[in-house]
Amino acid sequence: MTEGAVAASTSSENSKAAKGEKRPRAFVSGVVAMTAIMMFAAIGGEVVANIIAGTASERDPVLAVALLLNIALILIGWRHHNEVTEQIKSHKEAAKRARLLANKDPLTGFLNRRALASEGSEMMRRARERDRVVAMFVIDLDSFKYINDLNGHHTGDVLLREVGKRIMSALPGAALAARLGGDEFAAAFQFDPSNPAAVDAIADELVERISHPFDIERQSIQTSASVGIARSDHDCNGIETLLRRADIAMYAAKHQGKNRAVWFDGSMERMLEERNRIEEGLRQAIPNGEIKPYYEQQIDLLTGRLHGFEVLARWEHPTKGIILPEEFIAVAEECGLIADLSESVMRQAFIEARDWDAGLTVSVNISPAQLKDPWLAQKIIKLLTETNFPAERLEIEITETALFDNLGIAQSIISSLKNQGIRVALDDFGTGYSSLAHLRALPFDRIKIDRSFVASINDDNESAAIVDAITRLGTSLGLPVTAEGIENEQIEQSLKHLGSMAGQGWYFGKPMAIGQTRRLLADKDMLTARQKDEVAEEALDDLRKLRRTG
Ligand code: C2E
Ligand code: CA
Ligand code: CA
């Protein structure tokens, strides 16, 4: 049973108990008062008549006492009856209030999830009778956590109430509006199935209204909303399915860049199933060590010297072969597995790389989700100690988008890392906010130009201008630059003309598994004696295998 349902059932039991106890009491007190009144009519009538007629007998003083007692009884009975009636009234009101509270979100006054489910199914039933269809919106704010962290919970609460008002203002009159929890809202209303454009218009209006700045305690607060829309026809068997579909569509809206409304379609459900399969797989794959570090060479473009490797995760799946990070990193982030994944990949890479030439660096990628962990720097430092890998040879790559979400924590993580001698690079530069403020506020050691600009430097003037501008920015800030995505010699030549920089890309080699990396390093004489022996051992093994098959 959900919390709301628990609250509702408890309050209705209380009110039942109240009714069961008070009803007979009110009845009894009513009967006592009525009997007293009837007795008063019978006895009082006789006594008063005798007194008036002057025929009072000896019995009458007794009767007079009985009469007085009778009057007292009437008064007590009547008062008691009134008290009990009053109590019943207030119990009824309390029960009504409790029922209402169990259905409402206290902050916004919107329905809660449970109430939306019951009123929404009722709306679906009525819509079917009239050949109409229910549209369900799931509305999620895009940067609420950031606003809450930055401005405090009070501002966050006021913002949620104000967002609630704007949602109401965009919805048609008979719509249901609910707060599902946190910064997630929902709304439902009927529409004519032949005119879904009317729903689009409402959704667009809602997104537009929420995107205007909010004026909260003399501060201008900017947010936006991602809206998922689902409709109750199209083989939707109930309110829960409708809500789930709108929720899936809301995530699609987020993935498509936020601040927009997106309709649910069947392919989204299949994507979700695929995503869940990946999540389940990862839960096994990480502890089993199936996520392996691959190594991409980083070259000094002027001298052609190998100066290090970027570590890129690959899932060596027992049946599906090699899976690329774009298929599993985002899932690992969403389901909270990224810290374990990252630790496993880093540990393997550090253990491997400590036996390489001491001049070779190792760069690892850190996800935005990891930058929310205030202990991240300590965890990395602990890992370095455990694997006996020198901090000076490690570089951490952080994207600018990751900084924007958690500037405060990111700042303290970066300074802890730097205090230990670890270097920090700003990854994918040019794709995010490209803010000079970020570059100045955080003590980066390197800028990496995003591969989308580098790969098209010779085909696209704008890309060439961006690469040039970033290179000059690096020079003026005294920051070394790495260009990624160098796919051929022509790109390498164009970059060399811009000045001194490092580079990586398929022209120098694709990311390699450990065996191939070792062979490359052995050729360059950049391995320790122990690793050289291991490489020689492997080569002998290969030779024997070849002879056997040949
Ligand atoms: P990234 O950090 O921008 O990594 C560079 C990506 O560019 C790699 O893709 C690499 O294989 C690819 N690449 C390198 N040279 C070229 C080239 O010449 N042309 C083209 N078209 N691509 C090139 P990959 O390995 O698929 O990784 C994709 C992204 O996944 C990475 O982008 C990084 O953001 C993320 N990632 C990979 N491994 C990890 C990890 O261990 N942890 C985290 N948090 N993220 C990771
Ligand atoms: Ca990177
Ligand atoms: Ca990159």
Side-chain angles (χ1 to χ4, degrees):
M1 215 184 328
T2 63
E3 229 173 84
V6 172
S9 71
T10 329
S11 71
S12 74
E13 269 152 29
N14 284 348
S15 68
K16 259 186 253 163
K19 277 181 208 157
E21 194 190 332
K22 300 292 174 190
R23 276 249 169 80
R25 274 174 62 189
F27 178 71
V28 170
S29 65
V31 168
V32 169
M34 285 311 290
T35 319
I37 291 169
M38 274 152 63
M39 277 171 69
F40 173 75
I43 308 169
E46 189 186 334
V47 175
V48 173
N50 286 349
I51 289 169
I52 293 169
T55 59
S57 68
E58 281 168 13
R59 206 165 53 97
D60 286 340
V62 178
L63 281 177
V65 171
L67 182 66
L68 286 174
L69 279 174
N70 196 231
I71 291 170
L73 203 58
I74 289 172
L75 289 176
I76 292 169
W78 196 249
R79 227 185 74 196
H80 185 67
H81 179 70
N82 277 345
E83 266 172 19
V84 172
T85 318
E86 207 46 52
Q87 268 178 20
I88 290 174
K89 213 169 112 197
S90 81
H91 271 280
K92 269 188 186 159
E93 267 162 17
K96 197 170 143 200
R97 229 182 9 254
R99 260 200 311 280
L100 216 67
L101 283 178
N103 283 336
K104 285 260 156 90
D105 163 48
L107 185 71
T108 54
F110 278 17
L111 300 175
N112 58 23
R113 183 183 278 273
R114 200 180 51 85
L116 175 72
S118 70
E119 296 198 21
S121 4
E122 181 54 27
M123 182 182 263
M124 277 170 82
R125 192 189 57 73
R126 282 197 312 269
R128 259 194 309 275
E129 285 171 4
R130 299 170 54 208
D131 286 331
R132 285 169 74 80
V133 167
V134 172
M136 177 67 77
F137 288 180
V138 165
I139 306 154
D140 194 273
L141 294 187
D142 292 328
S143 48
F144 182 69
K145 202 191 156 302
Y146 175 70
I147 295 169
N148 223 10
D149 290 348
L150 204 69
N151 303 283
H153 289 261
H154 174 68
T155 304
D157 282 356
V158 178
L159 176 67
L160 288 174
R161 270 199 293 269
E162 293 304 313
V163 166
K165 285 183 199 157
R166 293 204 191 164
I167 290 175
M168 282 311 285
S169 74
L171 292 174
L176 299 174
R179 177 163 169 242
L180 302 178
D183 58 344
E184 198 171 72
F185 295 86
F189 55 89
Q190 296 186 20
F191 71 101
D192 172 358
S194 65
N195 184 22
V199 178
D200 280 313
I202 294 168
D204 291 345
E205 183 63 30
L206 197 151
V207 170
E208 153 81 15
R209 290 190 186 188
I210 293 178
S211 73
H212 290 287
F214 289 82
D215 192 11
I216 297 173
E217 282 161 1
R218 290 183 298 283
Q219 277 194 83
S220 169
I221 299 209
Q222 180 87 50
T223 186
S224 61
S226 297
V227 179
I229 318 171
R231 51 190 289 168
S232 63
D233 49 353
H234 294 182
D235 179 41
C236 172
N237 55 18
I239 187 75
E240 287 304 330
T241 309
L242 185 64
L243 256 169
R244 194 168 56 84
R245 288 181 175 179
D247 198 45
I248 294 173
M250 183 275 287
Y251 276 104
K254 292 240 184 232
H255 278 288
Q256 289 174 27
K258 306 175 177 176
N259 190 28
R260 68 194 61 214
V262 168
W263 282 89
F264 169 82
D265 74 59
S267 69
M268 290 176 186
E269 200 144 30
R270 286 190 291 281
M271 266 166 57
L272 193 76
E273 281 160 12
E274 177 59 23
R275 188 207 158 283
N276 290 344
R277 263 197 298 279
I278 291 172
E279 177 179 339
E280 259 167 53
L282 276 179
R283 289 192 189 279
Q284 306 291 323
I286 299 170
N288 289 349
E290 287 170 29
I291 316 290
K292 295 273 193 320
Y294 273 50
Y295 303 88
E296 180 171 318
Q297 300 173 61
Q298 295 175 320
I299 309 284
D300 181 334
L301 291 190
L302 282 188
T303 61
R305 196 181 59 89
L306 173 70
H307 77 80
F309 291 91
E310 175 171 2
V311 173
L312 295 159
R314 296 288 181 271
W315 184 349
E316 291 186 348
H317 195 281
T319 56
K320 291 184 188 156
I322 291 176
I323 304 179
L324 292 174
E326 63 192 20
E327 296 204 29
F328 61 85
I329 291 288
V331 178
E333 285 177 0
E334 280 163 27
C335 63
L337 290 171
I338 191 67
D340 290 348
L341 185 151
S342 181
E343 190 197 312
S344 160
V345 170
M346 277 195 262
R347 186 183 292 277
Q348 297 174 64
F350 295 166
I351 291 175
E352 182 59 36
R354 71 180 167 204
D355 289 333
W356 296 346
D357 185 293
L360 290 172
T361 57
V362 165
S363 302
V364 299
N365 292 285
I366 292 296
S367 291
Q370 290 174 276
L371 274 192
K372 292 178 187 156
D373 176 4
W375 296 104
L376 178 69
Q378 281 67 22
K379 286 178 184 168
I380 294 175
I381 292 157
K382 181 163 169 271
L383 205 52
L384 288 173
T385 317
E386 282 170 8
T387 55
N388 199 19
F389 187 74
E392 297 69 34
R393 289 179 58 196
L394 175 63
E395 188 166 85
I396 297 287
E397 298 190 1
I398 298 173
T399 61
E400 213 180 5
T401 353
L403 297 177
F404 179 73
D405 279 348
N406 318 277
L407 197 56
I409 301 181
Q411 229 155 1
S412 81
I413 290 176
I414 292 174
S415 48
S416 307
L417 291 171
K418 295 215 39 144
N419 285 341
Q420 298 291 321
I422 299 167
R423 268 162 300 152
V424 184
L426 187 55
D427 202 0
D428 297 348
F429 193 70
T431 55
Y433 305 89
S434 306
S435 120
L436 195 60
H438 279 167
L439 276 174
R440 283 202 194 287
L442 299 162
F444 289 108
D445 299 288
R446 177 179 294 280
I447 313 175
K448 295 190 75 178
I449 312 176
D450 191 67
R451 65 174 187 270
S452 57
F453 308 119
V454 177
S456 57
I457 188 171
N458 290 327
D459 317 313
D460 184 291
N461 288 339
E462 200 179 327
S463 294
I466 290 174
V467 174
D468 180 41
I470 298 177
T471 315
R472 282 187 286 118
L473 182 70
T475 313
S476 70
L477 293 174
L479 289 177
V481 171
T482 297
E484 45 177 37
I486 303 177
E487 293 186 345
N488 52 48
E489 198 186 339
Q490 291 78 5
I491 299 177
E492 188 203 27
Q493 288 306 327
S494 304
L495 290 168
K496 274 181 173 174
H497 285 130
L498 296 176
S500 89
M501 67 172 88
Q504 56 181 95
W506 296 346
Y507 175 57
F508 305 107
K510 292 209 169 171
M512 300 170 287
I514 187 57
Q516 208 187 338
T517 310
R518 278 188 191 170
R519 282 194 287 280
L520 175 102
L521 290 173
D523 287 347
K524 292 182 181 288
D525 203 17
M526 291 180 118
L527 289 181
T528 58
R530 191 182 59 77
Q531 277 186 323
K532 270 188 211 157
D533 284 351
E534 278 180 31
V535 174
E537 203 70 65
E538 275 167 26
L540 268 179
D541 263 355
D542 289 348
L543 190 68
R544 286 189 203 111
K545 266 186 228 149
L546 277 171
R547 275 218 296 255
R548 243 178 281 136
T549 49

